[in-house]
Amino acid sequence: MMEEEREKAVVVVGLIENATNSTAAEVDPRLLKAIKYVVRNSDSELRLAAQTLMNLMKRDHSQVRYLALLIIDELFMRSKLFRTLLVENLDQLLTLSVGFRRNLPLPAPPAVASVLRLKAIEFLEKWNASYGMYYRQLRLGFDYLKNTLRFQFPNLQANGVRIQQERREREMRTKEILLNKFETLKENFPSIKDELQSTLDEIGECLEIVTATNENVPMDLLDDEEMEEFRSSELRQIRLDSLKEAEKVQETGDNKVVFDVLRELYKLLVMKHLVSVQEWISVLVRVEVADNRFRDSALKEFIDIRNHLRSVKKKCEEAGCSLPDSKNHEEEDIWEEGTIESFENWNSATLDKQSDDSNIASTSTEVKKKASKNSNKKEDSNEKMDCEGSGTESNPQRSKFLAEAPVMKWGSFLDNWDKKRDVLANQRGLELENHWGRVDYDAVIPAAKIAELNVQATVYEEDPVEIQPCRARLSKGGLCQRRDLRVCPFHGPIIPRDDEGKPINQTSLTEEITPDFGSNLVEQLAKQAVKNIRDRDIEEVKKREHDKKALKRAKLAKVREHNDAVLRELAMASTSRSSAVGEDIETTNGERSSARNKKQTLASMLKKKVTAKDRLAQRLLNTGARDATTRQLTLGEDAKYREAFPNQW
Amino acid sequence: MHVSLAQGLQYCGLCSRGSCPLVTIPRPIFTWASPGDNNTKGLKIGGGGWDKDARTMWKEIGDREFGKLRPNLFTNRIRSTRLSSLQLSNYKDIVSPHRGSVNSLQVDLTEGRYLLSGASDASVAIYDVQCATNYEGGGLLAKHKSIINIDKQHDHGHKYAISSAIWYPIDTGLFITGSYDHHINVWDTNTTQVVVNFKMPGKVYRTAMSSLATSHMLIAAGTEDVQVRLCDIASGAFAHTLSGHRDGVMTAEWSTSNEWVLITGGCDGAIRFWDIRRAGCFRVLNQSHSQLGRRPPLLERAAMNKVSSSKSSSTGQSSSVKARAPQRKMAHGNGSKQSAVSKIPSQVKSSARQRLHPGMLSSQDHATAHYGAVIGLKVTEDGMYLLSAGSDSRLRLWDIESGCNTLVNFETVRLQTGKAIQLATTQDSALVFVPCMTSVKVFDVWSGKTVLSFRGHYEHVNCCWYSSQDQELYTGGNDRKILVWSPTKFVSDELDEWIKRGKASALDQDNWSD
C-alpha cells in the first residue's frame, strides 16, 4: 500500500516537473490534463502536488515559476483542498510570483518575470473575486497588494460590470426618451394628423388648379394644328410625349403663383412631414409599452399616411416640382462652379456631332483650367468625374467617352491638343496677336515641328509597392513586423502567413496567382505545360527524398521502439508513468528538428542576449584595442609637440 | 525568616560571581511538585493535549457532569483545546481605519469586549470585538468597524505616531495614549476628549498602568529619556522620576502580584525592578545569573538551609521562596496579593537597600538582561515569571523570585529590532505569543518549543493581545491590519450557521470540470 502510494506520488511529481520544464508560454495541455486527472483522484497526490508546486515556485527561474503558477491556478480554481493548502502560504506564493519584497525580486529572465508578475496579479484578483469570501488570507493578500503597495490590478470583473452597467443605463435612457416621445405622440396625434391633412389638402388643391390650367392650354394647341398629320401612331406617340413634356414645364405667368405654392408645399411635405412620419414610425416600432392598442393603431395609421404622402409626392413630381433640383443646388454650393461649367461645356461638346477645332480647343482650355486649379488633387477630380457621370446617367455616350478618355497630367502639350497647324514663330517673347509689333507671317514653325516639340513626356513613376511585413511568429509572442522585400534576415524568405504566423501553403497561392498571369491563352498553356513538367520533377525528387526519409524514420522508430521497450521495462508498472515517459520522448523527438536551429532551453533563456552593442564593446574595449588607441593618441600628441617646439629635444 | 533573608542578601552581595554555586555547580534538575501545584499540573496536561477531538471533549463534559472533574480544571481544558486550534479567522474581520502600522493593542480588562488600537498615523480606534457592526457576504463575514476613531483631525489628537494605547484598568471610561510627539493623553472614552495631558521630555515608547493598584493611579511611562516617569492621573503631575537606566526606556510593565513594583526594560539592555515607594531600583536582572529549571533546585536549598547563613543571596532568597511557595501558589488569585505585596518590599526594607551601598551596587548595576535593547516585557499572570524580548532576537524567561535567567531556549528565529513589541501570554502562562517578524509564534513557556506559528501579516507584526475570555488572539502589524485568530468552529456549528443563513456552502466546493 505504502509502496503504491509512493509510486503514485512519483507520478504526480514527475508530471509537474515535466510540465514546468519547458520554454513554451503555456503548459502542455496534455500534461496539464494528466496532472488534473491524477490529482483529482487522490488527496495525498493533491497535497504532494501543492508541495511540489510551492517548491517549484522557489526555483530561481522565472519560466519555471510561471508555468508552476499556471498549474496552481488550474488546480486552485478546481479543488477546495488545494485552496486550503495554498492559502496557508499565500504570502510566500505572492512573494515568489509578484516579487513585491525588495529583498526577493523575481529571477531572470526579465521578460518572463514581468509576464509572471502580471499573471500573478490577475490570478490573485480572480481568486479573490471567486473565493475571497471563504479565505481571509486571499482577502488580506489582495488588500495588501492593492491598497498598501498600490499594485495596478486589471480589474477585469469590475470593468465588465461597469461596461454592462453603462450599457444598461444607456438603454434605459433611450427607452425613457422613446417613452416620452410616445407620450407626446399620444397627446399630439390628432394635431399632427390635422397638420398633415391640411398640407395634403392644400397640395391637392394646387394640383387641381395646375392640371386644370394645363388642360386648357394643350386643347387650344390641338385645335389649331392640323389633325391629319398625327394620324400615324408613331407620330401620335411622339406628340403625346412632347405634350407631356410640355405639361411638365408648363409654367406661365398666370399659374406661377400656384406653382410657387405647390413647390413650397412639396418641399414642406418632403423635408418635414415625410421625415417626421418616418421618425414616428420608428419610435412606434421601437417603443415598449404595456398597452399596445394605441401603438398598433397609430402605427397602422402612420403607415397609411406615409403611403399616401408618397403617392402625393409622386403626383407633385409629375406635376413638375422636384426636390432634387434644390438638392442639386445645394451640391453646387459645395462644388466649384468653374468645374461644373466646364463639364457642361464638355457635355455639349461631346454631344455635338459637328465638333470643330475651336470647340475642342475651348474644352481643352477648360480642362486645362480645371487641371491647373486642382492639379494636386487628381483623385479628387476623378471622383468628381465619377459623380458627374453617375449624376447624368441619361447620357450613356458621354460616360462611354469618359471611360475611354485618358487621364493626362497637365502639361504645355495640352495647349496644342489635337491641333495640326503651324505656329507663328515669336521672336520677342510677347503675345502674338496683340498690337505691340509687327507680325512676321513667314516665320512659322511647322506643325510637325510643334508636334515634335510637344511630345508628351511622362516621368516614370514606380508603382508604390507595399512591402509586406515578415509576420513570422516571434518567440516572445507577436509577429515579426520587419519589412523586407524578399528575405527577412531572421525568418527567411517572406511568404504569406496567417494570423498566427504560420505559413500558408505556397502551392495554393501560386495556383491562385497563375490565372492572373497572362490573358494570352497560348502563353498560359505553355506555362502550364512547363509547370506540369517541373512539378513532376519536383514530385519525383520529393518522392525519392521521402522514401529516404521514411527509411530513416523507420530505422529511428525501430531504435526508439527498442529504447521505449527497455525504458518501459525499467520504469514502474504504473501506466500513467510509462505513458508519460513515452510522451516525453515523443515531444523531445518532435522538438529535435526545431531544437537544431534554435535550441531553446531553460538555461538558454537565462543567457543574456548578445546585442550589437556587446559585440562592439568586445571589439573596442579589449586591452589590445585600448592600448593601440592610447598609443595612437600619444603618438599624435608627440608629433604635435615636436611640431610646436622643433628646436627642443 | 526576615533574618535569614537579610543574611542571605548580605551574603550575596559579598560573594563573587565566580564562586557562586548557582552558576558553577552542576545540579540535578528538579521540578517543583507539591500538593498545592495540582492546578498547574492539570493545566499543563490540558496544554499538552493539542489534538483533542470532540469525543474526548464530550467525555470531559460527562466527567464534569458526574463531578469527576473540577470546574476549574474543566474550563482550563476547554480553553487549551480551543487555543490549540487557533487559526486566522475568516468570519471575523476587524476593519482597521489606520493608515499606519498598528503599534499597540489591548482588550479592556473589565468586560473583555472593547479592543483599543493605537497606530503610527496618530490615530486610536476602539472596536467592539463581540458585536459586529455589519455583515457582509450574505451574513458570512462579520465586520467589526471602529466605534470610536480619533485621528489627527481631532483637536487634541496626537501629532505623531502613537506607540502605546492602554485602557484604564478599572473601567472602560478612560484610556491612555502615549505618542512620539512627547505627550501622554488621558482620554474620556465617552466624550473622546482629553482629560489629562502630560508633557514628557522625549518620545513616549510605552505607557503602563497597574491592573491591581488600589491606592494609586499612576501611569508608568518609558520614553526616549533615561528616566522613567510616573504620571499621576489624579493630580495631573509627575509623581516620581525613576532614574537608573542609561538609555531610553522601551518597555515598562507593572508587576501582576504587587501594585508597587514596576519593571522596566531599556535600550541599554537592562531590566530594572523598581519599588515606587522608594528611590532607586532594587534589582537589575543579569543574563548570566541563571538557574536551570523553573525553580532554584530544592536539594541544594535544603542543604543550604542546613548550612544556613553562609550562602549566597540568591539561594537565600530562594529558600525563603520555597518555604512560602505552597501557600502562595494555592491562593494566587486576588487573595495572594497581600502575601506577595508584603514579600518583596519586606526584602527591600529589611536590609538590601540600606546595606548595599552605591559603590557595591555598581557591579550589579551594570548587569544586562539582553545584548542590545530590551524591546518587550511580559509578566506572567501569576506574577512569578517575567518574559523579556531583546533586540538580540532572544526571548528570556526570568524567575522573578530569584532574579535568575531560567535558561529556557526559545526557538525564536528573528525578532524585529527597531521597535518595541508587545508580547502576550495565556492565562495559565503555559504559552507565550511573540511577534517574530511577519509571523506570530507561540512558544511553550517552560520548554521554549514552538507550538504554533501564525502567518498572515504581510509586514512585521508589532503587537499581539490574547483575550483569554474568548480564546482569541489579536495581532497588529506594519501592514496596517488587525487580524483576529480564533478557534476553529466545529463543523456542525458552521453547518448550522449556513442553514440558518439559508445558504449552501456549495460555492466553495470542488469544481472539477475535467
Side-chain angles (χ1 to χ4, degrees):
Chain A
M1 192 62 198
M2 284 284 281
E3 285 281 303
E4 213 171 279
E5 284 279 295
R6 210 173 301 147
E7 268 170 32
K8 277 197 168 174
V10 171
V11 171
V12 78
V13 171
L15 281 174
I16 289 174
E17 260 162 20
N18 269 340
T20 51
N21 187 15
S22 145
T23 55
E26 273 172 22
V27 184
D28 182 4
R30 281 198 306 160
L31 279 175
L32 189 61
K33 203 158 194 177
I35 291 169
K36 280 192 275 191
Y37 178 76
V38 172
V39 154
R40 187 182 178 178
N41 290 328
S42 103
D43 279 358
S44 66
E45 295 275 321
L46 191 63
R47 279 171 207 282
L48 207 82
Q51 205 184 336
T52 315
L53 285 168
M54 275 315 283
N55 286 339
L56 282 172
M57 285 306 290
K58 287 174 196 154
R59 203 65 80 73
D60 207 15
H61 197 302
S62 278
Q63 175 72 14
V64 177
R65 289 191 188 184
Y66 175 66
L67 293 177
L69 185 72
L70 292 181
I71 300 175
I72 286 176
D73 176 54
E74 288 287 329
L75 298 183
F76 193 93
M77 294 305 283
R78 285 174 172 74
S79 162
K80 182 176 179 176
L81 178 64
F82 190 80
R83 282 196 286 274
T84 44
L85 289 174
L86 210 77
V87 291
E88 296 278 299
N89 274 337
L90 189 74
D91 59 332
Q92 199 182 8
L93 178 69
L94 290 181
T95 310
L96 295 173
S97 59
V98 182
F100 61 84
R101 293 211 200 282
R102 209 172 298 154
N103 52 354
L104 288 172
L106 294 180
V112 185
S114 64
V115 176
L116 170 68
R117 173 176 296 133
L118 288 179
K119 231 9 183 216
I121 289 173
E122 194 188 312
F123 284 157
L124 180 63
E125 191 187 27
K126 187 172 77 179
W127 296 344
N128 182 54
S130 34
Y131 299 110
M133 218 171 87
Y134 310 101
Y135 301 99
R136 177 92 170 101
Q137 287 92 338
L138 274 180
R139 271 176 282 151
L140 273 178
F142 181 74
D143 190 66
Y144 180 69
L145 288 192
K146 188 170 187 186
N147 297 330
T148 306
L149 299 183
R150 310 265 172 209
F151 268 94
Q152 210 66 49
F153 279 87
N155 227 353
L156 294 174
Q157 203 170 23
N159 272 347
V161 167
R162 209 191 54 225
I163 287 167
Q164 201 134 32
Q165 176 92 16
E166 272 173 17
R167 194 185 305 146
R168 214 175 301 135
E169 267 173 24
R170 220 179 304 132
E171 274 170 14
M172 284 286 284
R173 232 175 295 137
T174 48
K175 225 176 248 178
E176 212 168 278
I177 290 169
L178 275 178
L179 212 64
N180 279 344
K181 274 187 180 172
F182 182 70
E183 290 300 321
T184 50
L185 176 67
K186 227 178 193 177
E187 279 172 21
N188 300 337
F189 192 52
S191 67
I192 290 170
K193 263 203 298 192
D194 284 351
E195 202 181 331
L196 280 170
Q197 202 52 55
S198 69
T199 316
L200 285 174
D201 287 347
E202 279 172 39
I203 289 177
E205 277 165 25
C206 286
L207 280 174
E208 250 173 47
I209 295 166
V210 169
T211 45
T213 49
N214 275 352
E215 268 169 18
N216 289 341
V217 180
M219 272 303 144
D220 295 344
L221 278 170
L222 262 177
D223 285 344
D224 282 346
E225 295 299 316
E226 290 176 40
M227 292 294 281
E228 290 92 69
E229 281 186 25
F230 308 113
R231 285 283 152 77
S232 68
S233 58
E234 251 179 46
L235 286 178
R236 187 175 304 153
Q237 188 58 43
I238 288 168
R239 178 172 165 76
L240 277 175
D241 282 353
S242 70
L243 272 179
K244 242 179 206 170
E245 278 297 306
E247 258 175 37
K248 266 183 199 169
V249 266
Q250 213 76 39
E251 188 181 329
T252 54
D254 296 339
N255 58 12
K256 188 175 185 301
V257 187
V258 183
F259 262 101
D260 280 344
V261 171
L262 186 58
R263 238 174 264 131
E264 277 297 306
L265 287 172
Y266 174 74
K267 204 171 169 185
L268 191 71
L269 186 78
V270 175
M271 303 288 259
K272 191 182 152 206
H273 291 317
L274 211 54
V275 174
S276 69
V277 166
Q278 200 65 44
E279 243 172 54
W280 286 126
I281 287 172
S282 82
V283 166
L284 285 172
V285 167
R286 279 186 298 162
V287 80
E288 283 173 24
V289 274
D291 185 21
N292 270 351
R293 266 173 300 161
F294 174 73
R295 197 185 77 158
D296 291 347
S297 66
L299 194 57
K300 248 177 234 162
E301 259 179 80
F302 266 122
I303 289 171
D304 288 346
I305 289 171
R306 190 181 63 182
N307 291 341
H308 187 55
L309 281 179
R310 278 192 183 148
S311 67
V312 171
K313 185 185 156 199
K314 209 172 183 185
K315 259 186 219 161
C316 286
E317 269 159 17
E318 274 168 8
C321 32
S322 53
L323 206 60
D325 205 19
S326 68
K327 241 186 217 165
N328 269 355
H329 281 300
E330 273 170 26
E331 272 176 23
E332 267 169 27
D333 290 343
I334 301 162
W335 301 60
E336 287 162 71
E337 278 189 4
T339 60
I340 297 285
E341 236 173 31
S342 81
F343 276 115
E344 275 168 8
N345 274 351
W346 198 348
N347 209 346
S348 61
T350 44
L351 281 175
D352 206 340
K353 291 292 171 191
Q354 324 146 339
S355 57
D356 59 1
D357 281 4
S358 64
N359 210 338
I360 284 176
S362 77
T363 47
S364 59
T365 48
E366 291 289 348
V367 169
K368 189 185 81 187
K369 242 194 246 167
K370 185 205 100 192
S372 67
K373 243 183 200 168
N374 39 2
S375 58
N376 49 354
K377 291 185 196 166
K378 203 176 96 187
E379 286 192 12
D380 214 358
S381 65
N382 273 347
E383 258 175 42
K384 263 179 225 171
M385 277 174 163
D386 290 348
C387 287
E388 261 327 276
S390 62
T392 53
E393 253 175 37
S394 54
N395 208 336
Q397 205 177 12
R398 183 176 170 272
S399 57
K400 206 178 87 194
F401 277 129
L402 266 181
E404 272 178 22
V407 179
M408 304 295 267
K409 275 206 157 179
W410 181 82
S412 60
F413 63 89
L414 288 174
D415 269 343
N416 302 316
W417 186 263
D418 224 11
K419 272 190 248 177
K420 286 194 188 95
R421 59 174 183 191
D422 302 345
V423 172
L424 290 170
N426 177 5
Q427 292 102 331
R428 292 158 302 177
L430 289 170
E431 275 295 316
L432 205 58
E433 303 281 5
N434 60 16
H435 58 279
W436 287 111
R438 144 187 95 80
V439 177
D440 186 357
Y441 286 101
D442 297 333
V444 164
I445 303 173
K449 199 79 181 170
I450 289 290
E452 205 174 294
L453 284 173
N454 279 326
V455 168
Q456 184 194 343
T458 52
V459 179
Y460 171 68
E461 269 177 19
E462 206 179 343
D463 285 342
V465 180
E466 209 204 339
I467 300 172
Q468 292 301 319
C470 169
R471 285 169 62 79
R473 208 187 152 96
L474 293 178
S475 58
K476 63 176 179 189
L479 302 174
C480 176
Q481 290 303 320
R482 236 188 113 88
R483 282 163 197 265
D484 292 289
L485 212 52
R486 278 170 210 290
V487 180
C488 172
F490 302 116
H491 305 101
I494 287 162
I495 43 173
R497 291 166 191 274
D498 59 7
D499 290 340
E500 300 252 316
K502 283 177 199 144
I504 298 165
N505 202 4
Q506 195 76 39
T507 51
S508 67
L509 198 90
T510 47
E511 270 170 18
E512 273 173 20
I513 289 172
T514 37
D516 298 340
F517 253 79
S519 53
N520 196 341
L521 195 69
V522 181
E523 204 176 318
Q524 206 174 334
L525 277 176
K527 260 185 188 170
Q528 189 63 41
V530 169
K531 201 187 147 217
N532 283 348
I533 290 165
R534 272 186 196 157
D535 280 359
R536 218 171 299 147
D537 282 356
I538 288 166
E539 256 169 43
E540 251 170 56
V541 169
K542 264 187 189 167
K543 205 178 173 187
R544 231 175 294 148
E545 266 179 31
H546 188 76
D547 285 351
K548 234 186 259 173
K549 265 186 194 166
L551 219 72
K552 223 183 203 173
R553 214 175 290 151
K555 218 187 269 175
L556 270 177
K558 238 184 197 171
V559 171
R560 206 183 307 141
E561 219 168 286
H562 176 74
N563 286 350
D564 276 4
V566 172
L567 272 177
R568 223 169 269 147
E569 266 171 44
L570 289 175
M572 279 135 297
S574 131
T575 50
S576 53
R577 169 68 174 173
S578 55
S579 73
V581 168
E583 246 172 44
D584 192 27
I585 285 169
E586 260 173 48
T587 49
T588 48
N589 261 331
E591 274 168 8
R592 195 173 292 163
S593 55
S594 63
R596 206 167 287 151
N597 45 14
K598 249 190 184 176
K599 225 164 203 164
Q600 262 281 45
T601 59
L602 286 176
S604 75
M605 288 179 89
L606 286 178
K607 244 176 248 164
K608 217 187 148 203
K609 210 180 161 195
V610 179
T611 59
K613 194 179 169 189
D614 293 333
R615 285 195 297 272
L616 277 175
Q618 206 183 357
R619 274 292 167 78
L620 298 178
L621 296 180
N622 64 0
T623 44
R626 237 182 307 172
D627 286 351
T629 319
T630 44
R631 215 180 308 131
Q632 205 104 50
L633 283 174
T634 48
L635 214 68
E637 244 164 56
D638 270 3
K640 230 184 257 172
Y641 179 79
R642 236 174 281 142
E643 256 172 44
F645 306 99
N647 54 349
Q648 287 180 9
W649 296 97
Chain B
M1 189 168 292
H2 281 212
V3 176
S4 82
L5 250 182
Q7 277 172 345
L9 277 174
Q10 195 178 22
Y11 204 83
C12 179
L14 291 173
C15 90
S16 70
R17 247 170 53 187
S19 67
C20 183
L22 265 181
V23 185
T24 50
I25 305 168
R27 293 143 304 184
I29 299 166
F30 258 80
T31 44
W32 189 34
S34 68
D37 210 11
N38 252 352
N39 203 6
T40 352
K41 247 179 137 182
L43 282 179
K44 273 281 284 178
I45 291 164
W50 296 122
D51 37 15
K52 210 172 277 178
D53 58 349
R55 250 172 79 196
T56 48
M57 200 193 79
W58 286 116
K59 187 177 160 286
E60 275 179 5
I61 289 173
D63 286 352
R64 174 76 205 102
E65 241 181 333
F66 293 120
K68 283 185 196 165
L69 272 177
R70 276 182 289 153
N72 209 13
L73 194 55
F74 177 71
T75 49
N76 280 334
R77 281 191 183 171
I78 298 281
R79 268 184 188 155
S80 56
T81 20
R82 272 170 69 80
L83 175 59
S84 66
S85 66
L86 272 193
Q87 64 173 31
L88 186 58
S89 165
N90 182 38
Y91 307 107
K92 199 167 180 179
D93 268 10
I94 290 184
V95 185
S96 150
H98 302 303
R99 286 203 203 82
S101 58
V102 179
N103 289 331
S104 172
L105 283 177
Q106 193 183 21
V107 177
D108 73 306
L109 305 171
T110 43
E111 282 178 89
R113 181 172 176 183
Y114 298 105
L115 176 69
L116 176 70
S117 69
S120 50
D121 64 340
S123 65
V124 203
I126 297 173
Y127 320 85
D128 186 340
V129 291
Q130 287 178 355
C131 299
T133 45
N134 62 320
Y135 288 91
E136 263 177 31
L140 185 61
L141 312 178
K143 296 271 179 190
H144 296 260
K145 286 194 178 134
S146 56
I147 46 180
I148 292 174
N149 183 19
I150 301 168
D151 54 11
K152 270 188 198 169
Q153 265 72 52
H154 191 278
D155 291 337
H156 304 287
H158 286 292
K159 282 195 199 69
Y160 303 138
I162 288 174
S163 53
S164 161
I166 54 168
W167 284 107
Y168 181 61
I170 312 302
D171 57 44
T172 50
L174 290 176
F175 63 89
I176 295 110
T177 56
S179 160
Y180 279 6
D181 65 0
H182 302 191
H183 280 278
I184 292 177
N185 286 354
V186 180
W187 301 80
D188 185 329
T189 317
N190 293 312
T191 59
T192 63
Q193 292 299 321
V194 176
V195 194
V196 191
N197 181 8
F198 299 98
K199 170 94 171 83
M200 306 304 288
K203 288 179 190 170
V204 180
Y205 288 134
R206 176 86 188 145
T207 55
M209 284 196 84
S210 172
S211 53
L212 15 110
T214 49
S215 51
H216 66 77
M217 293 173 80
L218 294 174
I219 306 166
T223 63
E224 233 178 352
D225 192 44
V226 294
Q227 290 170 331
V228 178
R229 282 166 201 255
L230 301 183
C231 315
D232 191 356
I233 299 177
S235 66
F238 298 133
H240 296 56
T241 308
L242 309 173
S243 41
H245 280 289
R246 291 182 179 76
D247 204 343
V249 180
M250 277 287 220
T251 60
E253 280 279 313
W254 289 89
S255 163
T256 48
S257 56
N258 185 332
E259 65 171 312
W260 311 111
V261 172
L262 174 71
I263 307 163
T264 58
C267 295
D268 53 356
I271 298 174
R272 285 169 189 272
F273 283 63
W274 316 83
D275 184 336
I276 59 165
R277 292 164 300 183
R278 299 179 49 86
C281 78
F282 71 88
R283 179 179 292 158
V284 183
L285 294 183
N286 190 339
Q287 53 186 326
S288 54
H289 266 232
S290 54
Q291 70 187 28
L292 282 168
R294 293 163 61 175
R295 302 282 187 281
L298 185 67
L299 274 182
E300 221 169 78
R301 275 179 287 161
M304 277 187 289
N305 271 356
K306 271 175 208 158
V307 182
S308 178
S309 55
S310 60
K311 285 288 173 195
S312 72
S313 75
S314 52
T315 40
Q317 270 178 21
S318 54
S319 70
S320 71
V321 169
K322 182 215 115 202
R324 227 186 352 255
Q327 119 217 12
R328 193 189 64 227
K329 209 50 229 177
M330 256 160 38
H332 102 262
N334 283 330
S336 73
K337 254 176 237 162
Q338 289 323 106
S339 68
V341 165
S342 66
K343 188 192 68 206
I344 296 173
S346 69
Q347 221 176 49
V348 171
K349 223 178 285 168
S350 56
S351 60
R353 265 322 113 174
Q354 284 95 348
R355 304 281 169 86
L356 295 181
H357 48 83
M360 190 226 59
L361 254 179
S362 66
S363 72
Q364 272 195 344
D365 201 36
H366 280 92
T368 54
H370 284 279
Y371 300 107
V374 177
I375 54 173
L377 283 179
K378 181 73 189 172
V379 185
T380 55
E381 295 272 320
D382 52 17
M384 290 166 65
Y385 295 94
L386 172 71
L387 281 152
S388 69
S391 57
D392 53 357
S393 290
R394 293 289 156 74
L395 199 63
R396 297 214 159 96
L397 178 68
W398 307 85
D399 184 354
I400 293 182
E401 276 304 329
S402 64
C404 284
N405 180 4
T406 56
L407 293 180
V408 176
N409 179 32
F410 290 96
E411 301 166 327
T412 50
V413 188
R414 240 177 107 198
L415 299 178
Q416 67 163 316
T417 52
K419 247 179 177 176
I421 57 173
Q422 194 183 317
L423 312 171
T425 56
T426 53
Q427 201 179 19
D428 57 3
S429 44
L431 301 174
V432 59
F433 301 89
V434 184
C436 294
M437 306 305 273
T438 60
S439 64
V440 175
K441 288 194 171 168
V442 186
F443 297 108
D444 188 299
V445 172
W446 313 119
S447 70
K449 293 253 160 54
T450 312
V451 177
L452 289 168
S453 182
F454 298 135
R455 299 166 59 92
H457 283 282
Y458 278 81
E459 277 170 40
H460 293 180
V461 184
N462 294 321
C463 50
C464 50
W465 183 268
Y466 180 69
S467 156
S468 43
Q469 186 181 319
D470 302 325
Q471 290 89 45
E472 277 183 328
L473 177 73
Y474 307 100
T475 58
N478 281 350
D479 58 357
R480 315 184 292 192
K481 289 269 177 296
I482 298 171
L483 300 188
V484 185
W485 307 79
S486 53
T488 41
K489 293 177 189 170
F490 288 108
V491 179
S492 55
D493 279 3
E494 211 169 302
L495 274 181
D496 283 350
E497 227 161 279
W498 274 113
I499 292 161
K500 219 195 297 169
R501 306 216 192 284
K503 276 204 177 183
S505 60
L507 284 170
D508 183 29
Q509 287 299 321
D510 276 6
N511 174 29
W512 293 97
S513 57
D514 48 343

